[in-house]
Each structure stands twice: as structure tokens, then as C-alpha cells.
Amino acid sequence: VAKTPHGSVVKRRSKSQIYQQSIRSCFSVASRLGLTPGQTKMRLNTSRKAPKSQNITDKVTPEHLALMIKTEWQLSYVTPLYQFRHTQLKSYARQLSAFIAAEKQQGLAVEVGGQQNTFKVSFSVLEGLAETNDDPETVLIQVQSKPLFARPDDPQKTVWSGWLSCINSNPEYLRSLSKDFTCLPLFGCKGAEGFTSLVKDWLQRTFDCCFGLLEISQTSLQWLAALWTNCHMESNVQSLKMHWALPVVPPLHVTYTVSADDALDLWNSVRKNSPEKSKRTDEEECVDIEEVTRFMQGLMSHFYRHFRVDLSAGDLTRVSTALGSAKRSGRIK
Amino acid sequence: MDDSAKRLLQRLVRRIPTQMLRDTLDKWERLTAKQRAFVDFTQSKWTITQELLAVCEERELNVKHIAELEMIYVIGNPNQGMWHTFQLVDAEDDAHSLELVQFKEQFKTHLSELKRNVAVKIKKHTDEAVWIRIAWGDTFSRPNHLKATYVVHYLQTPFVFVSGLLSKHKPLLLQVLTLSTRHQGIKDANLSGQKLTAIRDLLMRQYQHVFPTKYPSPLAERNRSVSNLHIENEQAEASANRHRMAGEAFGNGMLPALQSAVYKLETKFRDLTNETMTERDKPLRCVVKFSSPNILESLRHCASTGIASTPVTPLLSSIPLKGRNYFVITDNAPSASSQMCQTQD
């Protein structure tokens, strides 16, 4: 497997920028996996670039940033969209609105706030998340509701949000697609399940695409554990919390929380002694999967020394730090 | 009925599932059979509340009676909320001969001496447990029956279980308990959980801790080749050993349903493959929490399947042995260091 120094986890100075950094690391990981599961095996990198400075708040508006962070998204992968145009967003909003209204009339249970609500759909471009020039811009979809007899100045409430995104995709892959296709392989959503299926349904019918649930693999979770710990150099991640599930009867859950300072010391000691160090130049800080594995092994051996329980017999199901959390089921924050 | 009685009754009807409400009202014995028949339990909870309020008014019941109803419900359904365990220490000479009547008198006296406006109810349950319900007030306010503290104590044992206690009332309650049970001190037993019955059973060693003399062996296959036979024999022996040691550590048969255990670790990192980290002077600080519908069964299964290496580490076997589920482990503690020595091969 060739080494492709791919995902740039961007370095941040302020807290909001750190969140942005964690989003990118998550999205990059997930986005790459979104490029059709069949191909992921060949595309999984063995090394990633460590953080480098960049000014991101220039690229993403504070309002957009506030929408994305501190909220848990359920991830799915999407196949390329046929004849999707970033210029047609207003039309798409109208069409989706009409679709939802029609489905409601047919009696589909979209009971958010009762029968009386009217729903308004908006499509917008969330600029700034795309990394390379080839990445299409992220599209944000929101469903807002207002009770039927509300006053004109009553605020609209967002009952469902979702977005389609593409960050740091493989340029070769993008170029191999025909011009009619737009690649936005990562879909994230939060809100009532009823809306989620309606939106997915409409997208599938309109753009001839397919959705699939994106699970975050053990390896990806381990990457996040290591990369987020690495971020502790720049910003306080407070602690590294890992959830494991052991396959016994009844199932045993282990929550292993390590103080961030100590986790960082372990991480640095792994990197300092790693044979991969010689392959790094000063300019390109690369993190190799061997280092991630050794970091996890260090944590597991400390656990074993005390409890004589082998965590690798179970599954890592969730990783979280102050920067965010990622779950095996494809939920990310 | 005054406001506090009405509010408490409303709260109880909301909280208690309908079927259980019916049973609890029967046990309460404050309403006549006719009055109980008047309440239509097939209706909505709101309707039930209104009907109950009406019959309680008829009987001129007050908040103390409603508190009694709540107590009956909690005694019958103790596995809710969060229970914390305390252990009485340094018994005085007459502690062992303490009788219920004495204890009740002493408890009420001491409590009223130290705090005004407190409503106390003491009840002895069939299984020798003494249940105490305390509604706290102060000089300026009446007892708050919506946030009562429950205490369970088995006379002749040093254990006390408490639920719903605010930290501001804690020192007072502990002092009163110590005095009225004729002890000199009380300490945190580091055992807590949602299921009172589980933590009680764990402490009282009421669960089966038998050592069976026979262990099931793997099923014999029909056409076994010679090499398989050797492997199987080897495996059977190893498996039997694991099962035995798992049983020795955690017990055999049904285990009390303890649901979590927390370990706060502040020990040095030691791994020969990572010299830098091993040489570090500071301890690695971490917190480990085990949770499951029954952690003792889960851990026993870990040991018997080999996920946990046997012999089982004292850190884990301490849960049933010492009857606690909160541990702080440092390198300096004598028990911890002996554990460290054992696990270091």
C-alpha cells in the first residue's frame, strides 16, 4: 500500500479554530472512506500529515462554524450525484419542500410539532470547508418549521439539518468521473428520522445516487485518538476517553479516560523512539500508522498491567476528547 | 389536604406505573375497599390523580400519610435512584445489643436535637432492614417531602445505605447515625449503585459462593484424530482451570447485579518496549469504569474465556471480596504495590 501523505489536519490557535481542526480531521477520514466502500481498502493511508498552521476563520463564516460544531452528526456515504448544480440550489429547495408536503399529505409520519406545521427548506453553500481546488463546495440543507398559526415575527425553528461534503478527495478519482457527476461523498445529518429518510429519498430520486451507512472503523477511531492527542500540543483537549465493548455475557463496557497531558507524553515518547522518524523531514511532519498502533498498544498494556484484561479482545466503540467525539456507528461531533 | 400533600400525591401518581400503584394503594390500607374501587385505573394518570385526591380529602389525609404511601412504594421497589454505602466503625460495648425500639428513639431524638423541622418515619421491613425516610426542613421552612432521603440499616451489621441525600445534610445524618447506633465513627464504604438489592447482597455475602467439585468438560466428538485428541485434552485442562479460578474470584451461581465499578489510577507507566515513558517520574493519571447489567458476571466470563488472564488480579477480585466498587490505586499504597508486584511478570 503506497504511502500517500494525505489528510492535512490543520493547526489552530484559538478554540474555534481547534474545533475546525477536529472537523477536518474527522471529515477527511470519513470523506475518504465515503469514496465507495469497495475502494477504501486501497485508499486507506498509512500515514497522514501532522498539523500545520493555516488561517481557517478567514474561509468559513462564524455562523456556519457555529452550525457545524458542538453537535452530533450521523454520517452516511453517498455515491456521486448526477447533474447536481451548485447554481440550482433555490430550485432544489422548492422541489424538496414540495416533496415533503406531498409525502405528508399521503400520511407519512413526519410528526415534528404536530400536523399544523409548515415546513420551509433551504439549500445553501457552506463555503470554506473544501481543501483542494478539485473539492466541490459543501452544501447545507435545512428544514425549518413554523406552526400554522404563528405570528409573522415568530422565529423559525430548524428541525432538521444535513450537509453534503467533499474534503481532500483523491484528485485522480475526481478526474476519472464524467463531467456530469459531482462528488460529495459525505453526508451528515441530525434531526427526526422521518425527515432524514425523506431527504435521502428525494436526493436518490433526483440525482440517481445511493446512500449507505458509514461506520467508523477501529483503525479510524485509533487515528482520531492519536491525532486528537497530538492536538493537545496546541490546545487543551482535557482528556482522551475511549469506550471499549468486550464480548462477554452480559456485554462489558469499559470506559478508559486518560489525562491529556499524560496521553501526550506517551504519544511523544512513541514518536521520539519510532523508526519512522528518520523518514520525516522537517517540513513535512508525517504521522505513520505504526506510531498510532504503538500508542494504542501502550495504552492497552498499561491497562493490562493493572487488570490483566486484554482490551484488544473487544471493540473500540467510541473515542472522545474536548475536541469532539466519534462513534463506531458513524456518529461524529 | 394542603398543597404539599397534593403535590406529593400528584408526583407519586406520575412516577409509579399504574399496576404498581394499585398494589401500593392496597398495601397502604388507608383507603376503604369502596374508595379504592372508586378509582378507575384504566383512565389517564391525570384522571387517576383527581380521583385519588378526592378520596384522600374524604379521609382527611395529610402529607404524612402520603409520605407513608411513597415509603411503601420505595421499600417495594428499591432498585431506583442511586444508593451509597457507609460503614459504621468503632462500635461501643452496647452496640451489639441494640434493639429496634432503642434505635428508633435515639435516632429521632438526636435528629430533632440537631435540626428543627425534620419529618422522620421509621419502618422495619420483614427482612430485618430498618427503613428511614427523612424530609428535611429548617428554621424557616417546612419539611420538603418532594426530596426525601431514604436510609436503610440492618441492625447488628455496620452497613448503612443512603439515597437522595444532599451534601449539606450529609454530616448531620452521619453524625446522628453514628450516635444512635452506638458507634464512634462512620466512613464511606466506596460502594454505590442503582440496585440496592445487589449492593446489599454483595456486602452481606448472601449470594452463593459455593465451590463445585465437578466442572463440565467439552463435548466428546466422534471421529477424533490423534492430534486433535492432544489439543483437546490440553485445551480442556486449561479451560477447566480458567473456570475454576473465575469461580474462585467472583463466586459461582447467581451473582448480585452490581452495575458499575470505577478505578482511579495514578501509577507509573512501565513497559520495557518504551523506555522514555517508563523513565518518566510522574504517574499516568487515568480513570477506568467497568459497566454492564451485571459486572460480576461479565468479569467472571472474561476470566473463564481467557479475556482476563487468570489468576484474576486482586484489583478485580476485590470487588466481591471487599464489597466495594470505587478504588483509588497509587504506587504508594501498600496493597496497591503488592498488586503491582504480582502483575509485573
Side-chain angles (χ1 to χ4, degrees):
Chain A
V1 179
K3 261 198 210 170
T4 46
H6 230 262
S8 54
V9 177
V10 199
K11 220 181 199 184
R12 289 291 153 264
R13 304 246 175 256
S14 77
K15 204 175 188 190
S16 64
Q17 292 167 325
I18 291 292
Y19 284 130
Q20 180 67 324
Q21 178 182 16
S22 77
I23 289 177
R24 283 173 178 279
S25 64
C26 293
F27 287 12
S28 303
V29 165
S31 180
R32 221 165 299 110
L33 291 176
L35 292 170
T36 61
Q39 292 177 314
T40 46
K41 258 202 183 145
M42 292 185 282
R43 291 177 189 282
L44 285 172
N45 2 344
T46 52
S47 81
R48 288 178 159 80
K49 263 192 232 144
K52 70 179 194 289
S53 315
Q54 223 185 84
N55 224 339
I56 203 64
T57 44
D58 286 353
K59 294 169 84 180
V60 183
T61 68
E63 292 87 20
H64 280 157
L65 204 61
L67 275 173
M68 300 297 278
I69 63 175
K70 294 193 193 173
T71 188
E72 193 172 70
W73 302 98
Q74 174 68 55
L75 300 176
S76 308
Y77 66 81
V78 194
T79 56
L81 302 149
Y82 182 65
Q83 293 194 332
F84 177 91
R85 306 267 173 269
H86 281 83
T87 48
Q88 298 281 340
L89 296 184
K90 276 215 166 66
S91 159
Y92 297 151
R94 278 196 300 270
Q95 291 176 41
L96 182 53
S97 250
F99 181 75
I100 292 177
E103 293 290 314
K104 239 178 57 130
Q105 275 215 316
Q106 284 181 25
L108 192 66
V110 193
E111 293 307 319
V112 186
Q115 296 268 353
Q116 307 293 334
N117 291 18
T118 56
F119 299 106
K120 181 175 151 246
V121 177
S122 68
F123 274 65
S124 51
V125 174
L126 207 147
E127 283 176 37
L129 282 182
E131 276 277 312
T132 70
N133 289 331
D134 292 318
D135 288 342
E137 289 283 7
T138 302
V139 176
L140 178 69
I141 308 172
Q142 286 176 300
V143 178
Q144 290 169 323
S145 112
K146 205 169 185 176
L148 194 59
F149 300 108
R151 290 194 296 270
D153 48 351
D154 272 352
Q156 292 257 352
K157 205 179 114 175
T158 306
V159 293
W160 185 93
S161 352
W163 41 263
L164 288 155
S165 184
C166 180
I167 301 177
N168 256 321
S169 56
N170 189 316
E172 281 171 29
Y173 176 74
L174 284 183
R175 275 177 230 136
S176 73
L177 294 174
S178 101
K179 283 231 159 41
D180 290 322
F181 282 99
T182 308
C183 177
L184 287 164
L186 190 62
F187 175 73
C189 64
K190 71 162 178 171
E193 182 57 40
F195 280 119
T196 306
S197 30
L198 280 175
V199 174
K200 280 186 178 175
D201 203 1
W202 182 81
L203 286 168
Q204 285 179 125
R205 289 182 201 209
T206 317
F207 302 109
D208 198 19
C209 59
C210 270
F211 281 82
L213 215 60
L214 188 68
E215 282 195 349
I216 303 180
S217 71
Q218 296 269 302
T219 318
S220 301
L221 288 174
Q222 290 183 4
W223 269 110
L224 285 170
L227 292 173
W228 275 336
T229 305
N230 197 56
C231 292
H232 189 60
M233 292 197 285
E234 276 289 307
S235 156
N236 185 6
V237 309
Q238 280 164 23
S239 63
L240 173 66
K241 195 169 181 186
M242 296 163 282
H243 291 240
W244 298 85
L246 293 171
V248 288
V249 176
L252 184 63
H253 291 275
V254 180
T255 311
Y256 184 10
T257 311
V258 183
S259 108
D261 289 334
D262 297 330
L264 183 60
D265 280 352
L266 178 63
W267 173 243
N268 285 333
S269 73
V270 163
R271 300 208 75 205
K272 181 176 147 194
N273 299 328
S274 78
E276 287 81 17
K277 192 177 170 190
S278 54
K279 298 177 190 163
R280 290 200 291 267
T281 64
D282 277 320
E283 293 196 26
E284 245 187 40
E285 270 273 301
C286 263
V287 176
D288 195 271
I289 188 155
E290 293 291 329
E291 294 170 324
V292 175
T293 312
R294 273 204 292 279
F295 173 64
M296 294 302 299
Q297 275 169 356
L299 290 170
M300 289 196 279
S301 84
H302 185 72
F303 188 92
Y304 184 82
R305 201 165 73 80
H306 293 78
F307 300 102
R308 290 169 65 80
V309 169
D310 190 359
L311 282 174
S312 65
D315 283 331
L316 181 58
T317 57
R318 182 183 171 186
V319 170
S320 66
T321 63
L323 290 182
S325 97
K327 297 180 186 166
R328 191 84 197 277
S329 57
R331 288 184 169 273
I332 213 162
K333 186 178 189 179
Chain B
M1 283 210 303
D2 66 3
D3 265 346
S4 68
K6 284 190 191 154
R7 274 215 308 273
L8 184 60
L9 185 61
Q10 276 167 344
R11 169 82 88 62
L12 284 176
V13 177
R14 259 211 311 273
R15 182 182 156 192
I16 305 175
T18 314
Q19 184 51 49
M20 241 175 270
L21 183 60
R22 203 184 219 151
D23 296 337
T24 315
L25 284 168
D26 290 343
K27 284 191 209 149
W28 191 32
E29 295 176 357
R30 289 262 174 208
L31 302 174
T32 64
K34 187 168 162 208
Q35 283 170 324
R36 269 179 277 145
F38 171 71
V39 181
D40 186 357
F41 289 100
T42 62
Q43 295 293 328
S44 71
K45 286 240 168 134
W46 189 86
T47 314
I48 296 174
T49 311
Q50 301 310 306
E51 290 175 355
L52 272 175
L53 280 171
V55 296
C56 290
E57 294 262 20
E58 251 180 48
R59 304 278 291 174
E60 291 179 11
L61 299 177
N62 62 32
V63 71
K64 291 211 164 91
H65 302 119
I66 313 294
E68 201 179 50
L69 179 65
E70 182 193 83
M71 198 164 177
I72 294 173
Y73 171 66
V74 175
I75 294 177
N77 300 277
N79 293 334
Q80 298 174 41
M82 190 51 98
W83 293 92
H84 300 277
T85 315
F86 295 92
Q87 187 172 357
L88 296 155
V89 293
D90 299 328
E92 308 217 3
D93 296 329
D94 50 354
H96 299 290
S97 55
L98 188 69
E99 291 201 2
L100 178 65
V101 173
Q102 272 174 290
F103 170 69
K104 275 168 88 160
E105 254 176 49
Q106 301 245 358
F107 188 88
K108 285 188 171 161
T109 315
H110 287 301
L111 189 59
S112 57
E113 270 171 24
L114 292 174
K115 192 133 177 92
R116 304 235 237 121
N117 263 328
V118 181
V120 181
K121 238 185 224 322
I122 305 186
K123 230 173 148 45
K124 173 135 177 305
H125 195 48
T126 48
D127 68 345
E128 303 303 309
V130 181
W131 280 75
I132 309 172
R133 179 184 189 276
I134 307 165
W136 304 89
D138 55 37
T139 2
F140 304 111
S141 58
R142 306 254 299 279
N144 181 355
H145 282 277
L146 296 175
K147 287 195 178 165
T149 301
Y150 279 90
V151 177
V152 182
H153 175 50
Y154 289 79
L155 291 176
Q156 316 307 326
T157 74
F159 301 115
V160 181
F161 307 96
V162 183
S163 154
L165 181 65
L166 295 176
S167 43
K168 66 180 178 185
H169 297 136
K170 187 167 160 186
L172 182 65
L173 178 63
L174 294 183
Q175 190 181 2
V176 173
L177 279 167
T178 318
L179 289 170
S180 46
T181 56
R182 315 289 296 133
H183 282 78
Q184 285 183 27
I186 188 169
K187 62 172 188 180
D188 196 329
N190 287 317
L191 176 65
S192 56
Q194 209 180 33
K195 295 194 168 174
L196 175 65
T197 49
I199 60 178
R200 178 201 65 198
D201 290 345
L202 186 71
L203 275 181
M204 310 292 202
R205 307 245 197 282
Q206 280 167 22
Y207 62 97
Q208 250 186 339
H209 202 100
V210 254
F211 297 87
T213 49
K214 236 181 158 185
Y215 280 92
S217 52
L219 286 174
E221 281 180 52
R222 284 185 189 232
N223 298 319
R224 296 183 297 184
S225 65
V226 178
S227 60
N228 271 354
L229 201 62
H230 287 318
I231 294 172
E232 275 187 31
N233 283 342
E234 217 176 88
Q235 287 307 310
E237 198 183 319
S239 172
N241 277 336
R242 284 198 302 265
H243 274 87
R244 180 179 52 82
M245 288 194 271
E248 280 170 13
F250 297 106
N252 290 297
M254 286 276 291
L255 297 174
L258 192 63
Q259 294 178 311
S260 73
V262 174
Y263 294 82
K264 202 168 147 198
L265 302 175
E266 281 175 33
T267 51
K268 295 221 190 83
F269 184 92
R270 255 186 260 286
D271 186 346
L272 294 173
T273 62
N274 187 336
E275 277 180 34
T276 317
M277 200 62 192
T278 306
E279 283 163 15
R280 204 176 85 125
D281 247 344
K282 295 182 284 177
L284 192 105
R285 291 156 296 163
C286 59
V287 176
V288 173
K289 181 174 176 182
F290 293 94
S291 47
S292 117
N294 187 330
I295 57 165
L296 292 176
E297 273 187 23
S298 296
L299 289 170
R300 182 174 64 184
H301 199 203
C302 282
S304 59
T305 54
I307 292 176
S309 304
T310 46
V312 176
T313 169
L315 248 70
L316 292 176
S317 58
S318 290
I319 302 174
L321 206 67
K322 297 190 181 163
R324 55 187 287 186
N325 67 354
Y326 176 74
F327 302 86
V328 177
I329 313 285
T330 61
D331 285 322
N332 299 324
S335 53
S337 62
S338 63
Q339 284 153 13
M340 287 306 124
C341 290
Q342 276 178 14
T343 56
Q344 235 166 38
D345 45 63

